[in-house]
Amino acid sequence: MEPSGSTMEDMVSRFAVDKRFWSGRKVFVTGHTGFKGSWLTQWLADLGAQVAGYALAPDTQPNLFGLAQLDKVCRHTIGDIRHLEDVQCALASSAPEVVIHLAAQPLVRRSYQQPLETFSTNVMGTANILEAARQQASVKAVLIISSDKCYDNREWSYGYRENDALGGHDPYSASKACTEIVTNAWRSSYAHGPLVASARAGNVFGGGDWSEDRLLPDAIKAFSAGETLIIRSPLAERPWQHVAEPLAAYLMIVRAMLEEGALYARAWNVGPRVEDIVSVEQIVKMLAQAWGHGARWEVRAPAVMLHEAGLLHLDSSQIARLVGWRPSGLLEQALNATVAWRAATTTEDAVQLMRKDRAVFARANIACSEPA
């Protein structure tokens, strides 16, 4: 059964990101030291939430968590999600109402080199979070952040829907399919536990990302150093979106679960417009144009070509229809905004740019009362 009797406009006003909803609410975020986790932590803090973060130390230098001094706006705990007792202690000490689980081994190519670490982190780590949340009486809703790569990708031209088959050619993709299976098992097995949903987003980007082996950070590093960017799969198409877009969706899904209950405890695709599903080569061309003088790139296949999906689309009609979330449709502007971060050198720069960017790229999903 699905909710009925409301228009999309009604849903936007109902579940939109709103300080009145989040202020004072206790939220436990795993992976808060990472790129997406840092953006989410700052946003929740700005909304007045009481944020507790649990994650490994940042794995790049520089990193957004350190630049924005986010340890000052959350309860910051260094820990490994593979250690159940440590997770249980962290949850018990913070007594959150909401758990948003972002911590993961997020890289496809690294998963080939470290398959066991990838599975132990992404699968057993998620199981630990779900079990610890189930045992913590204060927790009312859990959102597991998954990936668009959880699907059995046949390289079809249409977007995958939430009920399409799960699968995975590489260890990372397979681990995310397993993550979804584990999440569904906890959701189905423990009716008296917290509500559990998952969100499957595409390729996110934005300012403050220094991660390894990702297209935009690699491009900005190369352009900044006056080097030539090497791309290996120019024709591969991906669902690109600014980081603020899926983060707004995550907050809206959690709100929908807390306000309306089990009908919203399900899997959700969170992807861009069809027009923004473009090739690696198109992204690089737009990024080079935004960068200006000195941006160079070339195609060069590596000696050993690991399998990576060539075509991957998401159908996000469910979240548009039931939650009212909408993508920005501002791909080129989002790339320009990401390039503008090269001037960010201080904490104030980083925080102000996060606030500015989410006000633009999540605008359709922010309540009028929320100043972003």
Side-chain angles (χ1 to χ4, degrees):
M1 179 178 177
E2 293 186 349
S4 61
S6 297
T7 65
M8 181 182 292
E9 288 74 19
D10 290 332
M11 288 296 184
V12 168
S13 63
R14 191 176 182 186
F15 300 133
V17 181
D18 192 335
K19 191 168 188 175
R20 292 171 298 183
F21 175 83
W22 288 100
S23 184
R25 206 171 288 271
K26 293 184 177 181
V27 184
F28 186 87
V29 178
T30 73
H32 69 296
T33 59
F35 168 58
K36 287 174 73 174
S38 294
W39 274 80
L40 180 61
T41 297
Q42 181 63 57
W43 199 348
L44 285 167
D46 286 342
L47 290 167
Q50 298 178 41
V51 185
Y54 183 90
L56 299 176
D59 63 356
T60 66
Q61 192 59 247
N63 58 81
L64 182 56
F65 185 82
L67 178 61
Q69 297 186 15
L70 294 174
D71 58 327
K72 296 182 178 180
V73 301
C74 71
R75 181 175 180 173
H76 171 50
T77 301
I78 295 295
D80 193 325
I81 59 172
R82 293 175 294 182
H83 301 156
L84 176 59
E85 290 186 0
D86 292 346
V87 174
Q88 290 171 322
C89 288
L91 272 173
S93 64
S94 58
E97 182 181 9
V98 174
V99 174
I100 303 178
H101 174 46
L102 293 116
Q105 192 298 94
L107 300 173
V108 172
R109 289 167 63 82
R110 184 189 291 176
S111 77
Y112 281 101
Q113 301 164 356
Q114 301 173 351
L116 297 184
E117 179 184 340
T118 299
F119 278 97
S120 64
T121 299
N122 295 352
V123 184
M124 287 309 302
T126 298
N128 286 341
I129 294 297
L130 288 164
E131 181 60 8
R134 184 177 74 87
Q135 295 175 0
Q136 176 61 41
S138 64
V139 178
K140 300 297 184 287
V142 180
L143 179 62
I144 304 297
I145 307 308
S146 181
S147 168
D148 57 349
K149 295 175 182 63
C150 69
Y151 291 107
D152 181 15
N153 188 5
R154 304 300 181 88
E155 311 257 340
W156 289 323
S157 59
Y158 69 78
Y160 289 95
R161 296 161 296 184
E162 288 85 352
N163 59 355
D164 280 330
L166 301 172
H169 183 282
D170 56 87
Y172 171 76
S173 301
S175 77
K176 285 301 185 178
C178 293
T179 294
E180 289 286 353
I181 293 170
V182 167
T183 300
N184 187 61
W186 255 259
R187 178 167 52 234
S188 303
S189 300
Y190 304 110
H192 299 294
L195 297 167
V196 177
S198 64
R200 306 164 179 176
N203 285 42
V204 303
F205 64 88
D209 189 2
W210 285 276
S211 304
E212 65 170 283
D213 206 23
R214 285 183 179 160
L215 180 60
L216 270 75
D218 286 349
I220 290 172
K221 288 173 191 173
F223 297 164
S224 297
E227 299 172 352
T228 299
L229 171 69
I230 305 301
I231 60 174
R232 58 184 180 266
S233 302
L235 302 181
E237 294 186 0
R238 298 286 186 270
W240 307 95
Q241 56 193 160
H242 190 274
V243 62
E245 298 180 66
L247 293 184
Y250 303 162
L251 297 177
M252 294 170 77
I253 292 166
V254 169
R255 181 176 180 181
M257 283 196 289
L258 291 176
E259 291 189 343
E260 294 297 327
L263 288 174
Y264 291 88
R266 57 172 75 187
W268 302 91
N269 282 345
V270 183
R273 303 180 310 163
V274 173
E275 297 92 329
D276 293 334
I277 301 172
V278 302
S279 71
V280 167
E281 186 173 37
Q282 288 173 281
I283 287 290
V284 171
K285 285 180 178 178
M286 287 190 283
L287 191 66
Q289 183 176 5
W291 186 271
H293 180 72
R296 304 188 306 273
W297 58 277
E298 67 178 60
V299 178
R300 187 188 305 167
V304 178
M305 192 69 174
L306 301 175
H307 177 273
E308 292 184 89
L311 182 64
L312 182 56
H313 294 188
L314 289 177
D315 180 336
S316 301
S317 57
Q318 175 182 258
I319 193 170
R321 184 176 71 254
L322 303 183
V323 177
W325 175 85
R326 289 179 287 167
S328 73
L330 300 172
L331 178 59
E332 187 170 0
Q333 188 174 340
L335 292 170
N336 292 338
T338 301
V339 168
W341 272 71
R342 61 181 167 177
T345 59
T346 69
T347 297
E348 183 178 2
D349 291 340
V351 172
Q352 290 304 319
L353 281 169
M354 279 191 278
R355 290 170 177 164
K356 177 184 176 182
D357 288 353
R358 72 184 188 228
V360 174
F361 303 113
R363 179 176 55 192
N365 304 302
I366 296 174
C368 295
S369 64
E370 166 52 27

